[in-house]
Amino acid sequence: MEFPVVSRAGGAILDPHVIPQSFIQELLGRVDIVEVVDRHVKLKRAGANYVACCPFHSEKTPSFTVSPTKQFYHCFGCGAHGTAVGFLMEHGGLGFVEAVKELAQGLGMKVPEVRSEAAQRRSEQGVTLYEVLLQAAQHYRARLKDAPQAIAYLKQRGLSGDIARRFGIGYAPEEWQGLAAAFSDYDGKALAEAGLVKSNEDGRRYDVFRNRIMFPIVDGRGNVIGFGGRILGEGEPKYLNSPETPVFEKGRELYGLYQARRAIRDAGRVLVVEGYMDVVALAQSGIEYAVATLGTATTPLHVQKLLRQADEIVYCFDGDAAGRRAAWRALEMSLSQLADGKEVRFLFLPDGEDPDTYVRKNGRSAFEGLLGRSVPLSRFLIDELTGRVDLATAEGRARCVHDAKPLLRQMPAGVIRLQVVRELAEKTRLTVDELMQACELASQSPKSPGVPARAARTPPTSLARQLLRLLVSNPGFLVQLSPERRALLEAPELASVVELVDALRESGATTPAMVFEATRDSQYAVLYQEVAGEMLSVASDESSALEDFTGALNQLELLRIRSEYERLTADGVRGEPERLRIQELARRLAELKGAPAAGVRPQA
């Protein structure tokens, strides 16, 4: 039986690297993103672009923009962005390979099953971690069928076969080397790198997961990246998670998000619970928009990812002291990500209950009734801060302000923070301005009538980001980068530019969409995507953009020459070569000072 949520093609396991980059570039050169998106979301022309209400979050005013020239979409509301491939992945819940195959099929193109050179090199070195983890997941699935005690446990917890298949649930037998039946190279390095085996003091290998119900953890593309295992019967730890690996970082991933994305969009809400079984039990009851953190506290990255999926996050915790402590940590991690129009809420279950037990006992309607009584973050924050002190005393009120200060400073300036400040000011017997001053917050007081507001000044753009904007929007500018000018990019702060230049050379990308896919696996992928989104609505002709590109390079050269000139003149002239070099630098400095500067402020 095939594993239900991973990318497969022609019976062979594929990861995104299997499809040659040249094919991806050709596909993107022929596809029209407007046609692809319009099949799912009705677009309206707005100048050079097309717009619609975003399919990835709830909104009344269209902020979802599709550019036919850049072949790229970006939502100015939730930040979602990508190419035609990315749209099918996000909107249709497809894996990378499936999305590529669907686009190719519509154009009459056949996806080649020949590995790219990079993938071939990895193949020669050994199988990828994705392949190892997928193979392990399939092994655990197969072993579940032969484990009546594991099947009985899942039935006892109210799970159907369909739900077990949807989440790929399996079983790791109580065997020290059970994976040896699935991997001929049991002693190879791949299983250890994937976090599936360990070695004892004698160097003998053994399986990490034994006698456990196995919950595969899946990333946004449908790749298995790790596991959570629940002990069957008595034993410690009750839940065991995969260690972090090159493909698995707990602070970034959420269990069940891949399966829940469509339900989250439909509900406009995401429910964050604490355990794998909670997610699965809620899905069994029809509440399919739940996810779980992976044995760690909520992180700002989790919150950022979830607020891109929905306008409302509801954290669900036990009502005991431990649950309230966990809720407070989640609140602290959420503060920096708050935005007007987004809402974070907290649900505390009755004593002795967790989502799994409550929904099985009381049903979906009762659980969703509890969701309707969840507490907004602002209420939870104010009640906790004021409940810890005696507000009848000056000392208690001062302590409340002291405790509030680091929390308020994390919150972005906006209506939410202002509302919290006003209520806290009232409770601590201060004016809004006094509390803002005590917490070292920029004043949000309205300007006096009749005094015109001064136009906000746009902060200068760094040279690195300016170069990224220009190269993402105009990949053809790469031909302007001579070896001498390429050497100007060697500074550490320009590492993202260097990696982009290398990716453009290797892929031959000619549009922002092609750049997006060519850098999908880069460590700077998020930065490149942000830059592409920023440039989506920027109107700029090629000649002025080229002038800006040249100007940015001139600024880099100016910084480098000025540094060398100041060093030589400070050291004193030691001989004719140094004197001639100083003269040469002085001439070049004069030339560069008279050249266009691309509208950026040099960064020291």
Side-chain angles (χ1 to χ4, degrees):
M1 181 181 296
E2 281 194 354
F3 193 78
V5 295
V6 295
S7 301
R8 299 183 65 85
I13 299 168
L14 294 179
D15 69 22
H17 304 284
V18 173
I19 303 175
Q21 185 61 229
S22 58
F23 179 82
I24 302 294
Q25 298 297 315
E26 182 184 358
L27 176 67
L28 292 173
R30 293 173 60 178
V31 76
D32 182 359
I33 191 172
V34 174
E35 291 183 3
V36 174
V37 174
D38 194 54
R39 292 185 206 127
H40 306 274
V41 181
K42 288 306 172 186
L43 298 171
K44 294 183 179 180
R45 180 173 279 281
N49 297 325
Y50 291 80
V51 299
C53 286
C54 182
F56 304 120
H57 80 288
S58 300
E59 63 176 6
K60 295 181 180 178
T61 303
S63 60
F64 182 78
T65 303
V66 182
S67 169
T69 55
K70 294 182 171 70
Q71 288 294 300
F72 194 79
Y73 71 84
H74 179 79
C75 176
F76 292 92
C78 69
H81 47 233
T83 65
V85 175
F87 181 81
L88 291 182
M89 291 172 66
E90 290 297 320
H91 190 267
L94 301 181
F96 180 85
V97 174
E98 284 82 7
V100 170
K101 289 186 73 176
E102 182 170 317
L103 288 175
Q105 185 176 10
L107 295 170
M109 299 171 67
K110 179 175 174 57
V111 178
E113 308 244 344
V114 179
R115 293 179 181 269
S116 65
E117 290 183 9
Q120 187 62 41
R121 284 195 299 271
R122 284 199 312 277
S123 179
E124 292 167 358
Q125 295 167 359
V127 294
T128 69
L129 292 186
Y130 292 121
E131 292 172 324
V132 169
L133 291 161
L134 172 57
Q135 193 169 334
Q138 292 171 327
H139 170 74
Y140 295 139
R141 279 288 309 280
R143 296 305 300 265
L144 177 63
K145 294 186 295 184
D146 303 321
Q149 73 280 22
I151 294 173
Y153 171 82
L154 293 175
K155 288 183 176 179
Q156 175 193 341
R157 301 297 293 264
L159 301 186
S160 67
D162 287 341
I163 285 291
R165 279 190 294 274
R166 179 182 175 192
F167 286 90
I169 297 173
Y171 173 66
E174 194 169 10
E175 300 171 1
W176 285 98
Q177 294 188 333
L179 287 173
F183 295 90
S184 58
D185 189 17
Y186 184 78
D187 293 319
K189 65 178 183 179
L191 283 173
E193 288 180 352
L196 294 170
V197 300
K198 290 183 178 179
S199 298
N200 60 21
E201 294 178 356
D202 299 329
R204 183 176 174 80
R205 286 207 165 178
Y206 61 93
D207 290 3
V208 170
F209 297 100
R210 303 181 307 280
N211 191 33
R212 290 182 180 272
I213 301 293
M214 298 298 289
F215 299 89
I217 301 163
V218 179
D219 68 10
R221 295 182 185 169
N223 296 308
V224 179
I225 56 175
F227 294 93
R230 192 211 187 275
I231 195 74
L232 194 60
E234 300 299 320
E236 293 294 335
K238 184 176 179 181
Y239 281 95
L240 179 65
N241 297 309
S242 288
E244 295 205 346
T245 70
V247 300
F248 178 45
E249 186 177 345
K250 295 176 185 177
R252 289 182 175 273
E253 304 297 340
L254 292 150
Y255 177 73
L257 181 58
Y258 180 84
Q259 293 91 340
R261 284 185 303 182
R262 185 168 293 177
I264 290 171
R265 288 199 298 269
D266 292 344
R269 164 196 288 168
V270 57
L271 176 66
V272 183
V273 295
E274 295 188 85
Y276 303 104
M277 191 59 75
D278 292 327
V279 171
V280 176
L282 288 167
Q284 177 73 63
S285 299
I287 301 172
E288 300 180 342
Y289 46 84
V291 301
T293 54
L294 300 169
T296 63
T298 306
T299 69
L301 286 172
H302 288 146
V303 182
Q304 183 181 70
K305 181 178 287 190
L306 292 175
L307 286 177
R308 286 180 175 176
Q309 302 281 334
D311 289 339
E312 178 185 333
I313 297 176
V314 180
Y315 293 109
C316 182
F317 294 99
D318 298 344
D320 57 14
R324 296 193 78 86
R325 285 195 299 271
W328 186 254
R329 288 195 297 270
L331 177 146
E332 291 177 314
M333 294 300 103
S334 301
L335 290 174
S336 63
Q337 304 302 318
L338 294 178
D340 297 338
K342 301 287 185 178
E343 190 167 6
V344 176
R345 303 179 68 88
F346 295 84
L347 170 63
F348 296 99
L349 294 176
D351 288 346
E353 298 283 8
D354 57 35
D356 174 21
T357 60
Y358 189 92
V359 78
R360 282 193 287 123
K361 187 186 305 180
N362 300 289
R364 174 179 178 175
S365 296
F367 189 89
E368 290 192 321
L370 289 180
L371 288 177
R373 299 196 293 274
S374 57
V375 179
L377 178 145
S378 59
R379 181 80 275 130
F380 182 40
L381 174 66
I382 292 169
D383 288 349
E384 283 289 313
L385 288 172
T386 57
R388 298 171 183 175
V389 300
D390 182 1
L391 291 176
T393 68
E395 290 82 0
R397 294 191 295 274
R399 180 54 189 257
C400 183
V401 172
H402 175 272
D403 291 347
K405 178 178 177 178
L407 303 172
L408 294 175
R409 286 177 61 81
Q410 289 185 60
M411 298 175 67
V415 175
I416 296 177
R417 190 179 78 175
L418 183 57
Q419 294 291 330
V420 172
V421 166
R422 282 178 173 168
E423 187 165 349
L424 278 175
E426 182 179 347
K427 290 182 178 294
T428 55
R429 303 183 189 177
L430 298 173
T431 67
V432 169
D433 284 343
E434 285 171 340
L435 181 57
M436 297 282 280
Q437 184 175 357
C439 294
E440 300 178 12
L441 303 175
S443 175
Q444 291 178 274
S445 300
K447 300 293 182 183
S448 301
V451 178
R454 180 177 296 179
R457 184 177 178 183
T458 303
T461 305
S462 72
L463 281 168
R465 199 170 188 94
Q466 179 76 341
L467 285 167
L468 291 177
R469 286 177 169 183
L470 291 163
L471 284 171
V472 167
S473 298
N474 307 274
F477 286 178
L478 192 64
V479 299
Q480 305 290 329
L481 204 60
S482 65
E484 293 77 17
R485 296 219 133 177
R486 168 66 171 76
L488 295 171
L489 306 177
E490 295 304 325
E493 63 269 22
L494 297 173
S496 58
V497 181
V498 172
E499 185 158 320
L500 177 60
V501 166
D502 292 342
L504 294 179
R505 283 204 172 119
E506 183 177 342
S507 66
T510 59
T511 68
M514 293 179 180
V515 174
F516 187 104
E517 295 301 338
T519 58
R520 180 180 285 275
D521 295 319
S522 165
Q523 62 179 317
Y524 301 109
V526 173
L527 174 60
Y528 301 148
Q529 293 161 17
E530 288 176 355
V531 167
E534 291 171 4
M535 299 303 292
L536 192 65
S537 60
V538 175
S540 175
D541 63 275
E542 187 173 347
S543 61
S544 61
L546 181 56
E547 187 174 309
D548 284 346
F549 184 66
T550 303
L553 295 176
N554 286 343
Q555 288 291 301
L556 286 176
E557 187 179 356
L558 179 64
L559 289 170
R560 178 167 293 188
I561 290 177
R562 181 181 291 157
S563 176
E564 185 182 356
Y565 180 84
E566 291 174 352
R567 177 178 58 80
L568 287 175
T569 53
D571 291 345
V573 180
R574 296 188 181 88
E576 185 66 11
E578 289 85 355
R579 188 179 65 81
L580 292 174
R581 179 59 177 164
I582 289 174
Q583 290 177 351
E584 180 186 348
L585 292 174
R587 282 195 301 271
R588 185 59 180 152
L589 276 173
E591 292 173 0
L592 290 170
K593 285 179 180 178
V600 296
R601 179 185 295 173
Q603 302 294 299

